[in-house]
Every structure is written in structure tokens, then in C-alpha cells.
Amino acid sequence: MAGLSMHHPWAFAFGLLGNIISFMTFLAPIPTFYRIYKTKSTAGFQSVPYVVALFSAMLWIFYALIKTGEGFLITINAAGCVIESIYVIMYFVYAPKKEKLFTAKIMAALNGGVFGLILLSTLLLFKGDKRVVMLGWICVGFSVSVFVAPLSIIKRVIQTRSVEYMPFSLSLSLTLSAIVWFLYGLLIKDKYVALPNILGFTFGIVQMGLYMFYMNKTPVGTEGKEAGKLPTTADEHIIVNIAKLSPALPEKSSEVHPVAEMARTNCGAQAAAAAENRNFDAFVTRGPTVRVT
């Protein structure tokens, strides 16, 4: 059991639980990619969340290897590297040529250039404990920037008075994951693991509080322009951008419904209404959408 963080009797338990929760998080986008496989199209989805998640896993593996004795960090992030790589490969297979090129550029810049720069600079410029400290703060900075992503969701919920874009299961997953990894970092006395999850826990609690407050509220614009507004590409990717690193994507947000498809549904509804000689505003039913920290 050497290397699996036996610093404290409870460290093993929290490390194992953290691995289980995070592993389920990595598997959350499977319904989305199954739909992509069935339709043979990425349907406008972006690859950035999965490329970033792959970079995060690579970074934490490097940190765990440099520090040594961090078996749980290695196991879960190794699994993450494999799973996220599969997602990216599937994206390459079914994405349009323009998106493939964009994804290749992002991977070359982030997973190749930035990671390579971090690897070389920490190995060549620092030694011993200073190397661990420098790499640890890099991991903290990157993790904090990822946890800040839910701010866009929180703002949207307050503006629209609708929790459609912030499912409770997503917020709960964020909170549980943050709590477990915070306690794990605390028990093994690793501030670089514990600190980012304080922010993750805080945002998770805020999101669940907002969900409880707005869950029965009437969304703004139900009878106005917002009700008939078709979701934009940015809307479709809000949860994905969170899901990239730590957040588990809920079942509700596991499918893609392109704008064109929804527009056709809306037109069909209006035509049916005209045939029945009734006047009413067409309501666009928003299907399950997709994340991702």
C-alpha cells in the first residue's frame, strides 16, 4: 500500500472515495459522445473542455510524481488522461475539418507547449522542495481558474430566475468532490490539494442555495422575448465548460440538440397552432443539453 497516502488512517478512505467520485465525473460525458457517435456529428460542440481536462490530469500526475507518495492522485488522473484522450479522439473523428484544426492547435499549445514549458522549467530551474512548491502553486492557480467557471452559470440563473442551466445533481457533485479532496489534502498535509477545493466547496454551496431559491420561480421572459429565444451555441456549452475538470454532468444535460433542430420543432408547433385557428406564442421545449469543472 506504499504510495497510497498512508499519512493518516482516514487519508486512505478519503483518497479512495475521491477516486470513485472523480471517476464517475470523468464518465459523465459518455451519453453526449454516444449521441455524437450515433449521429456521426459533433453538432457544434466544442472540444476545449476535454482538452483542458486532459491538461489538468497531466499536470496533477506530474505533481504527484515529483512529490512522490501520492498514489491516489496518480491513479485517478491516469484514468482521467485515458478517458479524456478517448473523448478528444472521438471528437477528431466526427468534427468538421475547421474544428479539427482548431482542436489540434489548442492541444499543441496547451498540452504540448504549456505543459512542456512547465515540465522543463520545474525540472531545470528548481530542485528538491522548491520544485514541489513551484509545481504545487501552478496546480493551485490552474484549479482556481477552473473553479471560477461556474460564475457564468450563477449569473445566468440570477438573471433568468431559471435553474435550467444549473441542475442540482451537477452542483451536488461539485460540492461532494470538493469536500472529499479538501479533507484528503488536509489529512495528508498537502495545501496544494486542499486549497483549491475550498473555493470549489464554496461555489457548490452557493449553487445549491440558488437552486433551492429559484427552483419554483417563474423564469424571466416566460411571456416575453426570452421565452421564444432559441439557445445559442454559447448556451449549449455553458455546462460543458464547467464539466471539463471536476463537475459531473447530470443526465439532464447529456444530449445535444442543435439550434436548427429546435427551430424546426418550433416552426412545426406554430403551423399546428395555425391549423387549429388558435393564437398562442410558440414555446420552444429545450431538450437535454450539455458541464464540465
Side-chain angles (χ1 to χ4, degrees), residues 41 88 90 153 169 194 204 266:
S41 170
V88 173
M90 286 190 65
I153 294 292
S169 58
N266 189 31

Side-chain angles (χ1 to χ4, degrees), residues 106-117:
I106 291 294
M107 289 197 68
L110 186 62
N111 302 77
V114 176
F115 182 77
L117 181 62

Side-chain angles (χ1 to χ4, degrees), residues 19-283:
N19 268 241
I20 294 173
I21 295 176
S22 296
F23 184 73
M24 297 305 295
T25 297
F26 281 128
L27 295 180
I30 286 180
T32 296
F33 280 90
Y34 178 72
R35 181 180 178 86
I36 289 175
Y37 167 74
K38 294 289 289 185
T39 60
K40 310 300 181 184
S41 170
T42 56
F45 266 84
Q46 298 178 356
S47 59
V48 174
Y50 310 103
V51 173
V52 172
L54 177 59
F55 174 79
S56 176
M58 293 166 59
L59 194 59
W60 280 108
I61 287 178
F62 183 42
Y63 169 77
L65 291 173
I66 292 296
K67 185 181 179 183
T68 69
E70 294 293 347
F72 282 122
L73 289 180
I74 294 175
T75 54
I76 186 56
N77 286 291
C81 279
V82 173
I83 295 171
E84 298 298 337
S85 295
I86 293 174
Y87 293 155
V88 173
I89 291 172
M90 286 190 65
Y91 189 90
F92 267 114
V93 172
Y94 297 110
K97 183 177 180 180
K98 182 179 179 180
E99 295 301 324
K100 289 179 181 179
L101 182 60
F102 174 76
T103 301
K105 290 180 178 179
I106 291 294
M107 289 197 68
L110 186 62
N111 302 77
V114 176
F115 182 77
L117 181 62
I118 293 173
L119 187 148
L120 291 176
S121 60
T122 51
L123 290 179
L124 298 178
L125 302 179
F126 301 95
K127 295 182 179 180
D129 291 339
K130 290 184 178 179
R131 182 181 295 166
V132 175
V133 171
M134 177 56 63
L135 190 55
W137 282 116
I138 291 175
C139 290
V140 169
F142 184 76
S143 297
V144 167
S145 67
V146 169
F147 277 125
V148 170
L151 287 176
S152 61
I153 294 292
I154 293 174
K155 178 181 178 182
R156 187 175 186 86
V157 169
I158 295 175
Q159 289 178 336
T160 64
R161 297 167 61 91
S162 170
V163 295
E164 178 183 4
Y165 301 97
M166 190 181 68
F168 186 81
S169 58
L170 171 62
S171 303
L172 179 62
S173 175
L174 277 170
T175 306
L176 290 177
S177 178
I179 291 174
V180 170
W181 284 113
F182 168 75
L183 292 174
Y184 175 77
L186 196 66
L187 291 172
I188 66 173
K189 297 181 174 58
D190 190 330
K191 60 184 177 183
Y192 307 116
V193 174
L195 285 176
N197 288 290
I198 296 177
L199 192 60
F201 168 77
T202 302
F203 280 131
I205 292 296
V206 170
Q207 289 180 19
M208 287 193 293
L210 285 174
Y211 186 93
M212 299 300 293
F213 183 77
Y214 286 110
M215 61 184 296
N216 295 320
K217 300 287 185 179
T218 301
V220 173
T222 298
E223 298 179 355
K225 62 181 180 180
E226 292 296 325
K229 179 182 177 183
L230 290 175
T232 63
T233 301
D235 295 334
E236 295 291 344
H237 294 301
I238 287 176
I239 297 179
V240 177
N241 291 331
I242 302 175
K244 52 31 93 188
L245 292 178
S246 57
L249 296 178
E251 182 179 352
K252 177 182 177 182
S253 61
S254 63
E255 295 184 1
V256 183
H257 286 257
V259 173
E261 176 185 342
M262 299 179 72
R264 288 195 299 269
T265 302
N266 189 31
C267 292
Q270 291 176 338
E276 296 175 5
N277 197 24
R278 292 184 301 167
N279 295 320
F280 66 98
D281 292 331
F283 178 77

